[in-house]
Amino acid sequence: MSGLTQLVKEGSLLWEPSESFKEQSQLVDYMNWLKEKKNLEFDNYESLWSWSVTEIESFWETLWEYFEIQSSTPYLRVLSDRTMPGAKWFEGARLNYVERVFRNRKGTEDAIISRSELRPLQTMSWKSLEDKVAAFAAGLKASGIKTGDRVVAYIPNIPEATIAFLACASIGAVWSSCSPDFGSPTVIARFKQIEPKILIVVDGYRYGGKDFDRVDTVCEIQKAITSLEKTILLPYLNESPEIEQLENVVLWEDFINVHMGASFYFEQVPFDHPLWVLYSSGTTGLPKAIVQGHGGILLEHLKQCSLHMNLQEGDRFFWFTTTGWMMWNIVVGGLLNGSTILLFDGNPGYPNLDTLWKFAEETKMTVFGTSASFILSCINSKITPAHFDLSHLRAIGSTGSPLPPEGFAWVYEHVKKDLWLTSVSGGTDICSAFVGGAPILPVRAGEIQCRELGAKVEGFDENGNSVIDEVGELVITEPMPSMPLFFWNDTSGERYFSSYFDMYPGVWRHGDWIKVTSTGSCQIYGRSDSTINRGGIRMGTSEIYSAVEGVEGVKDSLVIDLSNEQDSGLLLFIVLEKGTTFNEGIDKSIKERVRVHCSPRHVPDKIMVIKEVPRTLNGKKLEVPIKKILIGVPFDKAVNKGALSNPDSLDFFLEIAEG
């Protein structure tokens, strides 16, 4: 690592917004609107946040007015019951998420710009998007799809996925999607729960220069999900795929072309009508089928994209994602305020890690969303994105795992000096962030700028007391409109309750460690159920990873604490860079960095080299299931192999457990 990247201290000031940057932000526009229309004046972000989580009914009602939400019937009240679970929002209102999307249509201007390993850079105008969505919606209705029916998609992050979702939601049907890199057991475990009538698929995809045929997988999905009435197939890998083994199939072009010219109709649905179903990772059991509503997501995504990401008309918004991760839903949400959304399907490291930076140059990207792991990979590969033309780039967002201080410093040293870098953390559970960015606040190394508006985020100690400048359990103490309506097939609400509310009655426990500072910034320290307690000192795994992966030659790592279960102690598994050999020097460097950056108590007792770290389909490290395997929990109860992106990586740990 170079000088600044290596030496930066946590909390170091790296960037401050200029006065013009602040004044041109959507957040300041909203604050000015509050002053003018509601006689509410706030001197700083922290006072605005405090009001938003204290007077929550007033806050969410001002968003309804500020964003000029269209509803065919008036709401009776903002919030009927402030308790959790069970809060009811904007009862009586009838609206449609997609109607808001096309309120911003701008004719021939770009709505979507996309690229994949199979397709060159392509653009789609708002007019073309509208025509195709209307035609697809007409096709769904002609197929007998009604309000409340489920439509599912096994499709990459390409324009057709956005078209199909918008069409589905426009008629009040319920959407759900999986990426085609998911295996059939994983897809079936998700889709079968919600009994879909329509399945949208591709014949295959290309990733990292390799082709993956998916026709056999689609056949397996069809056979397992008996509720399916029709499958719409998009030839993506091959122009004329062999699909004779599939049943009740219609090709995408045939399905949509017959209805081109159809007029648009937006089904007016209740505020809490299901919009889509998202899924938990399902690493240890059946994935939770999380249902979220039209109105709650509409308000939350307008807030998130406009006030916290500062997306405006003319922006070009990108986040690297697949259709199997909630960030895909956030990207689609960029259309709500007239931004152009940028879609990429493929391996971000193929043929090298310059690929996405080149995509940023080609598309004149203004907001670049990625993951902490991608930024760390760029550091380890010693690339310099600054040699691309990134003059349009205004902001970078990072999520998926905590971004360490050296990740922040690298962005300012090797990407762009004048840039708003936001680290964000939230969850599939609300399809948004709890903590993230604000364009009027400074950026400090290793810190998340703020708790987001309307999100009453606190850190609780063991006794349920809120703590500041100490690590605590991340909780939400007031309801939010995008919280799940329910889990599918959880009629008693028992699984929903046990997922969030069984530790602190009436308080949402999210499962992360957080430190809220006295200045209002935050730090996330990893999952609370995988925290390492050594000699009474608790340490989030993210802090250890930051130290370990800062060692030259270390590409990735996984830490498992068996101190309380076995005599094995604290185990560290590392993945080395290609061409690097584990030696005494690396061993000593790792232990020294952990000793200095974390604590002497968290120095690993044993270091082992592995080929790759087991990760979920969404890229999260598999800490708790691996710990269960190592302490002897039966494999089928410890982990759901189908929920992993690299299931073969488990073999190493199974051998240790059996040996």
Side-chain angles (χ1 to χ4, degrees):
M1 294 184 196
S2 58
L4 174 61
T5 302
Q6 196 169 28
L7 297 175
V8 67
K9 291 182 179 179
E10 188 175 278
S12 300
L13 179 65
L14 297 176
W15 179 84
E16 286 190 274
S18 66
E19 286 305 313
S20 62
F21 188 90
K22 294 178 188 176
E23 290 303 316
Q24 292 169 18
S25 71
Q26 285 286 107
L27 183 59
V28 166
D29 187 74
Y30 170 63
M31 293 171 75
N32 290 339
W33 181 90
L34 287 174
K35 181 180 179 180
E36 179 184 343
K37 301 291 185 180
K38 302 296 179 182
N39 199 30
L40 292 168
E41 188 169 2
F42 302 98
D43 295 331
N44 52 48
Y45 180 84
E46 191 67 16
S47 61
L48 174 65
W49 176 83
S50 296
W51 166 77
S52 77
V53 296
T54 303
E55 305 295 331
I56 61 173
E57 292 92 345
S58 297
F59 167 68
W60 290 103
E61 188 168 41
T62 65
L63 290 193
W64 182 285
E65 295 177 29
Y66 175 72
F67 289 118
E68 299 177 342
I69 303 298
Q70 291 178 323
S71 174
S72 57
T73 58
Y75 56 84
L76 302 176
R77 62 190 68 84
V78 175
L79 182 59
S80 58
D81 191 343
R82 206 161 167 168
T83 60
M84 292 187 291
K88 293 283 187 181
W89 294 90
F90 293 95
E91 288 182 283
R94 297 183 73 87
L95 41 67
N96 190 287
Y97 175 98
V98 184
E99 187 170 14
R100 175 61 185 229
V101 168
F102 287 104
R103 198 168 92 185
N104 295 302
R105 57 187 180 271
K106 299 187 289 292
T108 58
E109 293 186 29
D110 294 335
I112 299 175
I113 302 175
S114 61
R115 174 189 282 284
S116 80
E117 291 190 26
L118 284 164
R119 294 174 175 174
L121 195 71
Q122 297 178 333
T123 62
M124 181 178 294
S125 70
W126 279 92
K127 179 66 168 63
S128 178
L129 177 63
E130 182 179 17
D131 290 345
K132 290 179 179 181
V133 171
F136 201 92
L140 291 175
K141 289 201 288 186
S143 301
I145 299 300
K146 304 181 296 297
T147 300
D149 287 342
R150 275 76 64 203
V151 174
V152 297
Y154 186 56
I155 191 169
N157 182 23
I158 53 179
E160 287 87 349
T162 302
I163 290 166
F165 158 66
L166 294 173
C168 172
S170 74
I171 64 171
V174 184
W175 170 266
S176 193
S177 60
C178 284
S179 173
D181 57 353
F182 287 21
S184 57
T186 304
V187 177
I188 293 164
R190 286 156 171 74
F191 289 168
K192 193 171 183 178
Q193 294 185 63
I194 63 173
E195 300 178 295
K197 290 186 176 180
I198 297 279
L199 171 65
I200 305 161
V201 299
V202 289
D203 62 312
Y205 65 98
R206 182 173 295 164
Y207 187 86
K210 297 180 181 179
D211 290 347
F212 296 86
D213 189 284
R214 277 295 183 253
V215 175
D216 288 346
T217 306
V218 172
C219 186
E220 292 168 4
I221 296 168
Q222 280 190 330
K223 289 177 179 177
I225 303 178
T226 56
S227 60
L228 289 174
E229 297 175 358
K230 182 178 290 186
T231 296
I232 303 166
L233 184 136
L234 172 69
Y236 182 55
L237 180 61
N238 299 296
E239 288 185 12
S240 302
E242 296 180 7
I243 56 174
E244 292 76 13
Q245 60 182 303
L246 303 181
E247 297 181 357
N248 301 320
V249 174
V250 58
L251 294 179
W252 175 280
E253 289 299 324
D254 294 337
F255 184 82
I256 201 170
N257 284 347
V258 70
H259 298 287
M260 288 302 289
S263 57
F264 234 137
Y265 171 73
F266 302 105
E267 184 70 33
Q268 298 298 292
V269 297
F271 186 90
D272 62 356
H273 181 78
L275 174 65
W276 53 47
V277 179
L278 304 179
Y279 303 93
S280 64
S281 59
T283 52
T284 57
L286 194 67
K288 295 176 292 193
I290 301 167
V291 184
Q292 292 158 344
H294 272 250
I297 290 296
L298 175 60
L299 274 179
E300 177 61 36
H301 282 190
L302 282 169
K303 182 204 79 174
Q304 178 66 39
C305 293
S306 296
L307 305 184
H308 289 288
M309 293 180 176
N310 197 29
L311 289 181
Q312 303 179 36
E313 284 193 23
D315 271 324
R316 297 190 165 196
F317 174 42
F318 171 74
W319 211 290
F320 179 76
T321 183
T322 72
T323 56
W325 187 25
M326 56 150 281
M327 291 311 302
W328 178 83
N329 305 70
I330 291 280
V331 169
V332 173
L335 295 170
L336 291 169
N337 54 6
S339 298
T340 300
I341 61 172
L342 310 178
L343 313 178
F344 180 87
D345 172 45
N347 184 340
Y350 178 80
N352 53 54
L353 284 164
D354 278 341
T355 297
L356 292 185
W357 301 109
K358 183 179 179 182
F359 183 59
E361 178 183 75
E362 291 175 325
T363 58
K364 295 182 171 58
M365 189 185 294
T366 58
V367 179
F368 186 132
T370 184
S371 63
S373 61
F374 176 78
I375 291 174
L376 295 176
S377 293
C378 289
I379 294 175
N380 291 332
S381 298
K382 297 180 173 58
I383 70 166
T384 305
H387 72 264
F388 290 102
D389 179 3
L390 302 177
S391 55
H392 293 85
L393 191 63
R394 187 185 72 239
I396 287 182
S398 172
T399 191
S401 59
L403 182 65
E406 57 267 29
F408 278 76
W410 178 85
V411 168
Y412 286 102
E413 189 175 4
H414 293 284
V415 180
K416 197 174 181 181
K417 286 185 170 26
D418 186 16
L419 193 71
W420 175 36
L421 172 60
T422 62
S423 180
V424 301
S425 182
T428 301
D429 319 76
I430 61 162
C431 197
S432 190
F434 292 124
V435 293
I440 61 175
L441 295 175
V443 174
R444 298 183 183 277
E447 293 186 358
I448 297 173
Q449 286 180 294
C450 63
R451 292 175 282 185
E452 296 208 347
L453 299 176
K456 186 70 179 297
V457 175
E458 298 182 63
F460 271 16
D461 64 16
E462 297 90 338
N463 301 315
N465 300 313
S466 185
V467 295
I468 297 293
D469 290 324
E470 294 178 29
V471 177
E473 189 86 46
L474 192 161
V475 298
I476 313 297
T477 57
E478 294 288 355
M480 297 172 64
S482 69
M483 284 176 171
L485 302 173
F486 54 89
F487 293 167
W488 206 273
N489 292 331
D490 180 31
T491 52
S492 67
E494 198 172 314
R495 199 177 184 204
Y496 185 16
F497 183 87
S498 65
S499 295
Y500 309 115
F501 302 105
D502 61 352
M503 179 173 283
Y504 306 107
V507 172
W508 173 296
R509 170 185 172 263
H510 193 60
D512 284 339
W513 288 121
I514 187 172
K515 180 168 73 176
V516 179
T517 73
S518 51
T519 61
S521 65
C522 307
Q523 291 167 294
I524 299 292
Y525 293 93
R527 299 296 293 172
S528 56
D529 51 10
S530 61
T531 298
I532 295 173
N533 188 335
R534 300 268 284 181
I537 300 176
R538 292 187 305 180
M539 184 71 62
T541 53
S542 65
E543 296 173 277
I544 298 175
Y545 296 142
S546 178
V548 172
E549 291 163 27
V551 172
E552 192 80 25
V554 178
K555 183 179 181 181
D556 204 356
S557 60
L558 179 73
V559 63
I560 305 291
D561 186 20
L562 300 182
S563 303
N564 297 326
E565 288 81 8
Q566 300 175 356
D567 295 329
S568 305
L570 187 62
L571 306 182
L572 176 66
F573 303 93
I574 60 171
V575 180
L576 296 174
E577 295 282 357
K578 190 175 181 180
T580 301
T581 303
F582 186 68
N583 54 40
E584 187 179 344
I586 292 177
D587 182 274
K588 289 179 68 174
S589 295
I590 289 173
K591 291 176 178 177
E592 181 61 23
R593 274 186 64 90
V594 172
R595 182 179 289 107
V596 172
H597 290 266
C598 300
S599 87
R601 296 178 185 269
H602 290 82
V603 173
D605 296 302
K606 189 172 184 180
I607 301 175
M608 287 173 273
V609 177
I610 57 177
K611 291 181 179 179
E612 54 183 337
V613 171
R615 291 182 181 271
T616 68
L617 290 164
N618 290 336
K620 297 185 183 298
K621 298 184 184 186
L622 219 69
E623 296 169 331
V624 175
I626 294 300
K627 181 174 181 176
K628 289 180 178 179
I629 289 173
L630 294 179
I631 63 175
V633 174
F635 177 77
D636 58 346
K637 292 184 178 179
V639 62
N640 175 4
K641 199 171 183 179
L644 272 67
S645 62
N646 52 352
D648 290 344
S649 63
L650 295 175
D651 294 344
F652 177 89
F653 300 95
L654 287 169
E655 288 177 15
I656 294 178
E658 292 168 358

